[in-house]
Amino acid sequence: MAVNTSSASIEPTLQPDGSTSGNFTLENILGTNHEAVEHPRLKEKDSGDATEPGHGWDEESAVRPAADGFCIECEDQPAQVVCDTCVDNYCEVCFAAQHRKGSRKKHIAKPIPSSAKSRSVQNDVAEDVKKNGEQENDVDMDDSYEELDRISIEASKAPVSTQLLGAQPTIGSKVGEWFVDRSKYIPLRLTYGERKYLRLLDAALQVSEYTDKIDTLGFGLSKPKRIVHQIRELCAILSGLVLAADYKQGQELFTDRDFQSNADFYQTIFELGRRHKIMNPDKMRTTYGKLIYLLQDSQSPDVRDMLSFSCVKPIVSVYTVLEEKDALNMLRDDLIMVATQEIYSEGRSKREVQRDIKNKERAIETLASKYQRSGLNQEQVRQCIYSIGDNHAFLRTNRDPCEKMITYLKQYFHPTQAKDNKSSLAIRSGKQGARLSHDHAKQYAYVLQSLTLWREILHDMFRLWSLAEQDLLAENVPYRLRDTGQGLNRVQAAPKTFRMMHTILHRAQQSVGTWIGSSAIHMGDHNVPNALMFIDKYSQIYRILLPICNTLSQIPSLAEKPALRSYIEDDFGSIDNCMREILCDFFQHGFDGSGADNFFDAGSCIDGRLTSAWNWCAQLEKKRYFPVFLLTGFVGFDGDW
């Protein structure tokens, strides 16, 4: 079929040097002067300069250079190393990500002398972000850079095993700054009087229908008016409950029913709920979401103007209390290790346990009398010490099951070769619901790195929770109400939490050496809509691992009864075979990429690993070893352990 190109083509114009102009013709396209070729429709109509080249929609990010002193890859973090081969400056996380495999793995990096960024560089970057309409990606540029700079400096100075606050110092060793840095993210334990108000807040949130009336489409009133109405209604409920609990205080606070004059009271009440939830993730499981969404809406400028007061105040932490009273040296005292230690009774005599309890009580009293100040009595010092002890208890419940599962993995399975089929961790896509295909060695490494990543996340969970609340309650980071496939959700970017997760991921990658599968982190999309969903997702890890660890630890005691021992030996051969079968099935199909409708929602990405583990939990009743779980007292992955 002949094509008439006479009207579509443009005759080239002969230039004085013999070359043709950059007209869009077949001759110019097939020629050697490609840089001069320009489509006529892409010329800027309003530009008077005909020689100015057109710009495509995707060209801006490609040609815009990174700011001086910042990473060339992410462009928002200070550069820490320079690659001799690439001759580019990177932050440590981006350098590791870009040089993990291939020929780049042999590149050598040299550290850049650490120096604080000048204020002019920060102002230039902030102005550039403002011009491009990207200011919603961060709330406070200065605060964000200071926080991220501190994290980056810690990561670059500390060795691999102690980045981002490594393992807790052992008793007898120098404490240094470990407790000082840790205490910045440890909320202060609630007092008896504060717990009374916490119960009132929880009761008010239980009867509130805030999210039902706000996160909906097609409502009559405008959204800011609905938000203000619901917040005032909740405050009125709180006022009534306080009046019923303490009539005298209620009369003093709410005589004139002026919400603005009682702003401090409401801020304190809401802060108590947030602080309690961080220390006790099992509590307020249905009401914390309402609370954080209410505070998120209250940060909107329109709502704040109509409400005439702010509902948000910073979390009271151990660090802020001691810093205000000039008592931070208590966290550097070597006795703080003894005063906050967790006392274990497993495998120890009663005399040893009693001795440790007395030493701990003596250390607490010594610190309380030594560091009391004007305005800081001994009871407040004890409260700070107990709060740090609560953090250790949190780590034992949430982080230690990851350590136990790593120990089981190394104890029962060989890293590279399987002794037999019962000891093989190999999986194949399409078999028993698996979406991944790994041989034994690859699956072993995949499980090990996943458990290591979970351990690192839970180790820094309080810091992640603090950054997540900063992202959620940011004034200039709006959210979009979208249907994510699981109902309407608030989709909101979480830049601080996202960056911290990349740093934790980099630390996990360094500790395991190699990385199998995807390293994509879902944040602010339909998989993990916002930072609240991220926190909720990873705070459930212990619900998966703790029941498994408890069951495995109780199997030997079950075998002491002749009838149960006979059952285990008849069905599994031996106690070790029973434990190996449970572990093998979990390590295979708890990390096989299943649990979602498509590969992108589960698979081998960072969040998909946890989705696969939950999918394994849902299918536990179909396993042939399920009676063993029931015999050890298992009631469910949402039960009390």
Side-chain angles (χ1 to χ4, degrees):
M1 181 177 65
V3 179
N4 184 10
T5 59
S6 58
S7 60
S9 61
I10 302 175
E11 292 297 330
T13 304
L14 191 64
Q15 301 297 328
D17 58 356
S19 63
T20 58
S21 66
N23 293 329
F24 194 71
T25 64
L26 182 61
E27 181 180 356
N28 288 347
I29 293 174
L30 298 178
T32 57
N33 191 13
H34 296 157
E35 296 180 357
V37 178
E38 181 182 354
H39 197 286
R41 293 183 181 179
L42 293 181
K43 290 183 178 180
E44 296 186 5
K45 297 180 181 180
D46 298 333
S47 176
D49 187 3
T51 62
E52 184 180 356
H55 295 280
W57 63 273
D58 60 344
E59 291 183 4
E60 180 181 359
S61 60
V63 299
R64 190 176 70 177
D68 187 24
F70 286 85
C71 172
I72 193 173
E73 181 67 23
C74 62
E75 299 183 0
D76 63 350
Q77 298 301 309
Q80 296 173 286
V81 296
V82 56
C83 179
D84 285 347
T85 308
C86 302
V87 199
D88 287 327
N89 296 336
Y90 295 92
C91 66
E92 190 173 89
V93 175
C94 290
F95 176 82
Q98 294 293 320
H99 296 75
R100 278 197 304 116
K101 56 180 67 175
S103 59
R104 283 194 172 195
K105 191 174 182 179
K106 301 179 181 179
H107 292 188
I108 300 176
K110 294 182 179 179
I112 298 176
S114 57
S115 59
K117 296 194 306 294
S118 63
R119 183 62 58 178
S120 61
V121 172
Q122 293 189 19
N123 293 339
D124 292 342
V125 175
E127 184 66 20
D128 183 56
V129 170
K130 186 175 181 181
K131 288 180 180 179
N132 289 278
E134 297 173 358
Q135 66 272 25
E136 69 272 8
N137 290 333
D138 212 335
V139 183
D140 188 337
M141 296 297 295
D142 292 341
D143 292 345
S144 174
Y145 281 132
E146 291 174 1
E147 171 68 13
L148 298 176
D149 283 352
R150 191 178 60 77
I151 294 174
S152 300
I153 292 173
E154 288 177 359
S156 62
K157 289 184 177 180
V160 175
S161 59
T162 58
Q163 290 178 8
L164 297 177
L165 294 184
Q168 180 180 342
T170 57
I171 296 178
S173 61
K174 288 295 182 181
V175 176
E177 296 294 318
W178 193 92
F179 280 92
V180 176
D181 293 335
R182 190 80 179 177
S183 65
K184 295 177 181 178
Y185 308 100
I186 299 178
L188 189 67
R189 179 195 280 192
L190 271 60
T191 62
Y192 178 78
E194 290 174 337
R195 292 180 186 274
K196 178 177 67 174
Y197 291 112
L198 174 68
R199 289 192 292 271
L200 297 181
L201 173 64
D202 190 57
L205 290 170
Q206 288 283 0
V207 301
S208 173
E209 298 179 350
Y210 183 82
T211 50
D212 296 335
K213 295 185 177 180
I214 299 302
D215 293 344
T216 183
L217 302 176
F219 208 86
L221 294 175
S222 65
K223 189 168 184 177
K225 290 183 179 180
R226 276 185 285 150
I227 293 172
V228 171
H229 176 73
Q230 290 298 316
I231 293 177
R232 287 181 175 174
E233 182 178 292
L234 181 65
C235 291
I237 295 173
L238 278 172
S239 305
L241 291 175
V242 171
L243 186 64
D246 192 338
Y247 182 78
K248 182 177 180 181
Q249 184 180 8
Q251 284 289 88
E252 293 176 355
L253 286 174
F254 310 111
T255 302
D256 52 357
R257 293 182 59 83
D258 183 10
F259 294 106
Q260 183 177 358
S261 60
N262 297 321
D264 292 339
F265 173 78
Y266 293 120
Q267 289 175 358
T268 302
I269 290 289
F270 294 143
E271 187 269 339
L272 292 178
R274 295 159 55 202
R275 197 195 325 164
H276 179 70
K277 175 64 177 178
I278 297 175
M279 296 292 288
N280 305 273
D282 279 345
K283 307 297 183 181
M284 300 179 67
R285 296 181 64 183
T286 59
T287 54
Y288 178 73
K290 292 182 186 178
L291 174 62
I292 206 69
Y293 282 166
L294 180 148
L295 298 178
Q296 184 183 40
D297 290 332
S298 71
Q299 291 294 89
S300 171
D302 295 338
V303 174
R304 182 181 293 184
D305 292 342
M306 297 173 66
L307 202 59
S308 301
F309 71 94
S310 174
C311 299
V312 179
K313 66 178 292 187
I315 292 287
V316 178
S317 66
V318 174
Y319 182 87
T320 55
V321 172
L322 296 178
E323 183 185 35
E324 183 181 356
K325 305 301 180 181
D326 194 23
L328 282 177
N329 285 332
M330 183 189 76
L331 300 175
R332 302 182 179 95
D333 197 307
D334 292 339
L335 276 180
I336 195 68
M337 274 300 308
V338 182
T340 60
Q341 69 172 325
E342 269 218 291
I343 300 175
Y344 302 93
S345 60
E346 294 85 355
R348 306 177 63 199
S349 65
K350 187 176 180 180
R351 180 185 297 273
E352 293 176 338
V353 174
Q354 291 294 333
R355 182 193 61 196
D356 288 348
I357 291 175
K358 290 182 179 179
N359 290 338
K360 181 175 181 178
E361 292 175 349
R362 191 180 300 112
I364 292 175
E365 294 304 320
T366 302
L367 292 175
S369 60
K370 181 178 180 180
Y371 291 98
Q372 63 175 335
R373 301 283 190 272
S374 57
L376 183 69
N377 55 39
Q378 292 189 16
E379 186 59 34
Q380 291 174 320
V381 175
R382 295 191 193 98
Q383 198 78 357
C384 294
I385 296 174
Y386 294 149
S387 301
I388 300 175
D390 292 342
N391 174 243
H392 295 342
F394 171 87
L395 293 178
R396 181 188 181 188
T397 306
N398 290 263
R399 183 196 61 188
D400 287 4
C402 297
E403 296 276 6
K404 291 181 181 178
M405 294 304 293
I406 292 175
T407 303
Y408 282 132
L409 176 66
K410 295 179 178 179
Q411 177 182 351
Y412 284 94
F413 302 95
H414 193 273
T416 57
Q417 296 178 351
K419 298 179 181 178
D420 49 38
N421 291 334
K422 293 183 179 180
S423 300
S424 175
L425 299 179
I427 57 175
R428 181 182 298 177
S429 178
K431 186 177 180 180
Q432 298 185 20
R435 287 182 175 270
L436 304 174
S437 294
H438 289 164
D439 57 21
H440 173 81
K442 183 175 288 187
Q443 182 68 6
Y444 181 95
Y446 182 73
V447 174
L448 177 61
Q449 68 189 21
S450 300
L451 292 172
T452 303
L453 176 64
W454 292 355
R455 180 190 63 192
E456 300 299 336
I457 291 174
L458 292 172
H459 182 72
D460 286 304
M461 177 56 77
F462 279 16
R463 180 182 297 193
L464 281 168
W465 206 312
S466 174
L467 296 176
E469 283 207 346
Q470 292 179 35
D471 288 327
L472 286 165
L473 304 181
E475 299 179 16
N476 299 327
V477 184
Y479 65 85
R480 303 186 306 268
L481 197 63
R482 288 179 51 191
D483 185 1
T484 60
Q486 300 176 358
L488 290 174
N489 282 281
R490 301 187 178 196
V491 180
Q492 182 192 33
K496 295 182 180 180
T497 313
F498 186 76
R499 178 63 190 178
M500 183 68 182
M501 265 300 297
H502 267 292
T503 307
I504 293 175
L505 175 61
H506 171 57
R507 171 182 173 177
Q509 289 173 335
Q510 284 188 312
S511 63
V512 298
T514 60
W515 194 256
I516 308 296
S518 171
S519 58
I521 299 173
H522 291 289
M523 192 86 70
D525 57 13
H526 71 281
N527 288 306
V528 184
N530 51 53
L532 174 63
M533 299 300 178
F534 168 82
I535 290 295
D536 181 69
K537 189 179 183 77
Y538 282 97
S539 62
Q540 308 302 318
I541 291 177
Y542 87 99
R543 293 185 179 275
I544 301 174
L545 301 183
L546 189 58
I548 301 175
C549 292
N550 287 340
T551 297
L552 293 171
S553 63
Q554 294 181 43
I555 289 179
S557 62
L558 281 180
E560 295 176 359
K561 300 179 180 180
L564 296 180
R565 185 180 186 90
S566 176
Y567 157 69
I568 293 175
E569 290 179 350
D570 291 345
D571 278 25
F572 303 99
S574 65
I575 297 175
D576 278 352
N577 287 345
C578 178
M579 298 179 67
R580 183 179 286 106
E581 181 170 335
I582 295 174
L583 289 168
C584 183
D585 188 68
F586 175 67
F587 291 149
Q588 280 182 313
H589 300 290
F591 301 87
D592 61 359
S594 61
D597 296 332
N598 57 73
F599 185 82
F600 299 101
D601 291 346
S604 63
C605 64
I606 300 304
D607 300 281
R609 301 163 194 248
L610 193 53
T611 304
S612 302
W614 270 123
N615 186 60
W616 178 88
C617 296
Q619 299 176 359
L620 181 63
E621 295 180 359
K622 303 176 183 178
K623 310 293 184 180
R624 80 184 192 103
Y625 51 77
F626 181 61
V628 178
F629 274 74
L630 297 179
L631 289 171
T632 59
F634 174 80
V635 295
F637 289 99
D638 201 17
D640 295 329
W641 285 83

